[in-house]
Amino acid sequence: MDYCIGIDIGGTNIVIGLIGPDGKIVRGTKIPTRAADGADTILSRIDAAVRETAQAAGVDLAEIGAVGMGVPGFVDHENGISLHSVNLNWRGVPVAPIMREKLGIPTFINNDVRMYIYGEAAQGAGKGYRHVLGLTLGTGLAAALVVDGQLYHGGGNMAGELGHITLDDIPYTCKCGLKGCLETVASGPGLARQARDRIREGRDSVLKEWYPGDAIEQLTAKDLSRAYDMGDPVAVEVLQTTGRLLGKGLASAVTLFSPDVVIVGGGVSAAGERLMAPIREALQAHLIPAYWEHIRVVTAVLGDDAGVIGSGLYAKQRAGLQA
Amino acid sequence: MDYCIGIDIGGTNIVIGLIGPDGKIVRGTKIPTRAADGADTILSRIDAAVRETAQAAGVDLAEIGAVGMGVPGFVDHENGISLHSVNLNWRGVPVAPIMREKLGIPTFINNDVRMYIYGEAAQGAGKGYRHVLGLTLGTGLAAALVVDGQLYHGGGNMAGELGHITLDDIPYTCKCGLKGCLETVASGPGLARQARDRIREGRDSVLKEWYPGDAIEQLTAKDLSRAYDMGDPVAVEVLQTTGRLLGKGLASAVTLFSPDVVIVGGGVSAAGERLMAPIREALQAHLIPAYWEHIRVVTAVLGDDAGVIGSGLYAKQRAGLQA
């Protein structure tokens, strides 16, 4: 019962990991999601992949105490239901009950961002801290809070929407309808958009050479890091501006939650110090010194494993097993 | 053991209440603080007043399961020590151990604002809600979060400093050193200062008649409500601007915490709808609709009793008795 299974369901791939008693992945596998096949087929495929993974590791299903699944979108974590996932085209799918039936193992689900941050809090950059504020910079900007090893969900299960804190100095209107949401700049598409806007304004940039004319639409946040390292003024400005805005938004979160550590994760966090330095600079400028002296601001360390590890350990906790 | 004692220690008065099994005050008393007398004398005076109050109510000390004390300033609630209270001139006073020794009843302390919000959450405007964000508008602006009946303290015990969230459109520099802290406008002194500044700029106002010349320094937040009701343009503008700024700052707090209810308390909340209407207006403007539809935004209902009731019920909870 010391083992658990963590499953991170993405729009493209599903990553499955068998996690040992030490909280580390013993054996993993990745299968394509193929969302169009529908929930029944996908969950059957996961069932098969979990069994194969356990068998390949020489671990009996009876030794696995819990199965955890990170599901994108809105989730009823108490009853294990995927309420609505746009990416997967799921609506009201009782994921946990179905998987529990298939595998005969207690199964728990939660939102994929929360599972990712839970993983970083338990085994990654947040290990050893009581109050962890984690955020994921990716196609959007999301956040989660873990206090004493427990995820904080908030009223209506809606806590942590850091991406929809608004700042006056952000000029963009968000998909949500508000003006100035942090996510409109602090996200992969937000970074690309800012660079594109500057190039359209006639600013000189190596990005223009890489993506001439309409090709500029294909610019990604990754390109910005590459251009930044060449000293490209647009890339430098966009990454620094974005970091400072994110730091300013985070200052509110830190002042209210008083986390011990702030973890910056998600794909875009690969920009590393290019983004972290201005984040820290703005945080310090907008925080009472006592907070600044108290917190650590770090990048996530588990990479893609965070969601898998978080899902597994979360399930273990929910099952009442020592995580 | 069904009774408890709640004690709210202010800079001027100490309010003591004997609280019955139903969470309501059975009998109360008020004694002057006289901070200059020092901690030993004050705590002895509290001891005597507690005994008198119980006796007058016909309740034996043995029937009292817990004593709770709300102390201004920095508090080590775990060990019951007042770390530093500027108002009381206390530094490192082991309040809870001393009172426990005197009365022979388990005694617990916490910060006075947290006790006030705990009281409102348990028996006041937050009763029945799982996620309560409460704030006190007084000489400063402070906030506390109560989740599932538990106070959230945050890392370094520093959570909830809503007053030190900064907004670009606040021009004042705060005592803490930051520019644009919410507290510089959303507080008694903040309201008075904004009115004074407008009058110094030559704006016409009835406040100028009430406080001619240098007397304007004596203007209080209460005067603003009175002038507001006479349609005074300065008073109307200051209260509406302040409410909107507070609502804007609260929007970040709501987006991160997702409380079920926001309670506006403290002396300045006596301004009522004059302040609440613009708070709600700005909240709605800066929130994703799902949050706005979820939350209730209300004024505190227990008045000065909140701190006493909160202190008593908090102590009962800490003592492991049913609150």
Side-chain angles (χ1 to χ4, degrees):
Chain A
M1 301 291 277
D2 286 344
Y3 288 88
C4 63
I5 293 278
I7 303 170
D8 187 19
I9 306 184
T12 310
N13 290 306
I14 296 167
V15 186
I16 298 169
L18 174 69
I19 297 165
D22 61 352
K24 297 198 165 56
I25 296 176
V26 175
R27 192 173 183 103
T29 188
K30 191 191 273 192
I31 58 175
T33 306
R34 292 201 204 106
D37 293 349
D40 281 353
T41 305
I42 293 171
L43 295 178
S44 292
R45 221 180 272 146
I46 291 174
D47 173 42
V50 167
R51 291 172 187 274
E52 280 166 28
T53 303
Q55 196 170 25
V59 171
D60 197 89
L61 284 193
E63 296 176 72
I64 299 171
V67 173
M69 301 167 78
V71 181
F74 297 101
V75 160
D76 171 357
H77 62 276
E78 278 164 15
N79 299 301
I81 299 165
S82 166
L83 298 173
H84 188 203
S85 175
V86 175
N87 288 354
L88 302 173
N89 197 23
W90 287 3
R91 198 181 270 278
V93 178
V95 177
I98 291 174
M99 288 309 299
R100 182 188 291 245
E101 175 74 29
K102 284 185 191 295
L103 288 165
I105 303 171
T107 303
F108 303 91
I109 72 172
N110 212 317
N111 168 269
D112 57 347
V113 169
R114 291 197 171 133
M115 290 299 207
Y116 176 101
I117 299 303
Y118 189 88
E120 283 289 339
Q123 287 287 328
K127 195 169 179 176
Y129 293 98
R130 287 187 57 194
H131 308 85
V132 178
L133 176 63
L135 54 109
T136 55
L137 276 165
T139 50
L141 171 62
L145 187 77
V146 180
V147 180
D148 292 329
Q150 303 276 341
L151 276 168
Y152 175 74
H153 294 87
N157 206 2
M158 297 188 294
E161 285 287 358
L162 181 68
H164 298 281
I165 282 187
T166 62
L167 294 180
D168 286 341
D169 31 15
I170 297 179
Y172 301 106
T173 297
C174 186
K175 278 180 294 188
C176 78
L178 296 177
K179 197 200 137 270
C181 285
L182 212 42
E183 178 172 290
T184 65
V185 294
S187 62
L191 283 163
R193 164 213 292 228
Q194 291 176 84
R196 281 199 309 269
D197 283 1
R198 280 166 173 77
I199 286 164
R200 286 207 189 93
E201 286 163 10
R203 293 281 299 282
D204 203 33
S205 169
V206 67
L207 298 161
K208 232 161 45 177
E209 292 164 32
W210 298 351
Y211 296 101
D214 287 349
I216 197 70
E217 291 299 329
Q218 288 147 47
L219 178 88
T220 68
K222 252 187 209 160
D223 297 317
L224 285 182
S225 284
R226 203 150 56 94
Y228 180 105
D229 293 342
M230 296 166 65
D232 182 69
V234 165
V236 169
E237 186 182 305
V238 167
L239 280 162
Q240 288 193 345
T241 303
T242 302
R244 278 197 291 262
L245 290 167
L246 183 50
K248 192 172 171 180
L250 270 172
S252 299
V254 170
T255 302
L256 292 163
F257 276 137
S258 192
D260 304 309
V261 62
V262 175
I263 303 173
V264 181
V268 177
S269 70
E273 282 307 306
R274 304 175 192 93
L275 209 49
M276 296 299 282
I279 287 174
R280 289 199 193 92
E281 183 196 309
L283 258 175
Q284 186 172 11
H286 290 91
L287 284 179
I288 294 184
Y291 290 106
W292 175 247
E293 286 152 20
H294 183 81
I295 52 163
R296 294 196 61 215
V297 185
V298 297
T299 48
V301 297
L302 298 177
D304 291 341
D305 289 349
V308 172
I309 292 173
S311 297
L313 297 184
Y314 170 82
K316 222 168 154 179
Q317 185 197 63
R318 287 283 301 274
L321 305 168
Q322 197 180 7
Chain B
M1 301 290 277
D2 286 344
Y3 289 88
C4 61
I5 293 278
I7 302 170
D8 187 20
I9 307 184
T12 311
N13 289 304
I14 295 166
V15 187
I16 297 169
L18 174 69
I19 298 164
D22 61 352
K24 296 196 167 57
I25 296 175
V26 174
R27 192 172 183 101
T29 188
K30 192 191 272 193
I31 59 175
T33 305
R34 292 197 206 111
D37 293 349
D40 281 353
T41 306
I42 293 172
L43 295 178
S44 292
R45 221 181 273 146
I46 292 174
D47 173 41
V50 166
R51 290 172 187 275
E52 280 165 30
T53 305
Q55 196 169 25
V59 170
D60 196 88
L61 284 192
E63 295 177 73
I64 298 171
V67 173
M69 302 169 78
V71 181
F74 297 100
V75 160
D76 171 357
H77 61 276
E78 278 165 14
N79 298 301
I81 299 164
S82 166
L83 297 174
H84 188 204
S85 175
V86 175
N87 287 355
L88 302 173
N89 197 24
W90 287 3
R91 198 181 272 277
V93 178
V95 178
I98 292 173
M99 289 309 299
R100 182 189 290 244
E101 176 74 27
K102 285 185 191 293
L103 288 165
I105 303 172
T107 304
F108 303 91
I109 72 171
N110 211 318
N111 167 270
D112 57 346
V113 169
R114 291 199 170 131
M115 291 298 208
Y116 177 101
I117 300 301
Y118 190 88
E120 284 289 340
Q123 287 288 327
K127 196 171 177 175
Y129 293 99
R130 288 188 56 194
H131 309 85
V132 178
L133 175 64
L135 53 111
T136 55
L137 276 165
T139 51
L141 171 61
L145 187 77
V146 180
V147 180
D148 291 330
Q150 303 276 340
L151 277 169
Y152 174 74
H153 294 87
N157 208 2
M158 299 188 293
E161 286 288 358
L162 182 68
H164 298 281
I165 281 187
T166 63
L167 294 181
D168 286 339
D169 32 15
I170 297 178
Y172 300 107
T173 297
C174 186
K175 278 181 292 189
C176 77
L178 297 177
K179 198 202 136 269
C181 284
L182 212 42
E183 178 172 289
T184 65
V185 294
S187 62
L191 283 163
R193 163 213 292 230
Q194 292 176 82
R196 281 200 309 269
D197 282 0
R198 278 166 175 78
I199 285 162
R200 288 209 188 92
E201 287 162 11
R203 293 278 300 279
D204 203 32
S205 169
V206 68
L207 298 161
K208 233 161 44 176
E209 293 165 29
W210 297 350
Y211 297 101
D214 287 349
I216 197 71
E217 292 298 330
Q218 288 147 50
L219 176 88
T220 68
K222 252 187 210 162
D223 297 316
L224 285 182
S225 284
R226 203 150 55 95
Y228 179 105
D229 293 343
M230 296 166 65
D232 182 70
V234 165
V236 169
E237 187 182 303
V238 167
L239 281 163
Q240 289 193 345
T241 303
T242 302
R244 278 197 291 261
L245 290 168
L246 183 50
K248 192 172 170 179
L250 271 173
S252 299
V254 170
T255 302
L256 291 164
F257 275 137
S258 192
D260 304 311
V261 63
V262 175
I263 303 174
V264 181
V268 177
S269 70
E273 282 307 306
R274 304 174 191 92
L275 209 49
M276 295 298 282
I279 288 175
R280 290 198 192 93
E281 184 196 308
L283 258 176
Q284 186 173 11
H286 289 92
L287 284 179
I288 295 184
Y291 290 106
W292 176 247
E293 286 153 20
H294 183 80
I295 53 164
R296 294 196 62 215
V297 185
V298 298
T299 47
V301 297
L302 298 177
D304 291 340
D305 290 348
V308 173
I309 292 173
S311 297
L313 298 185
Y314 169 82
K316 223 168 153 177
Q317 185 197 64
R318 287 282 303 271
L321 306 167
Q322 198 179 8

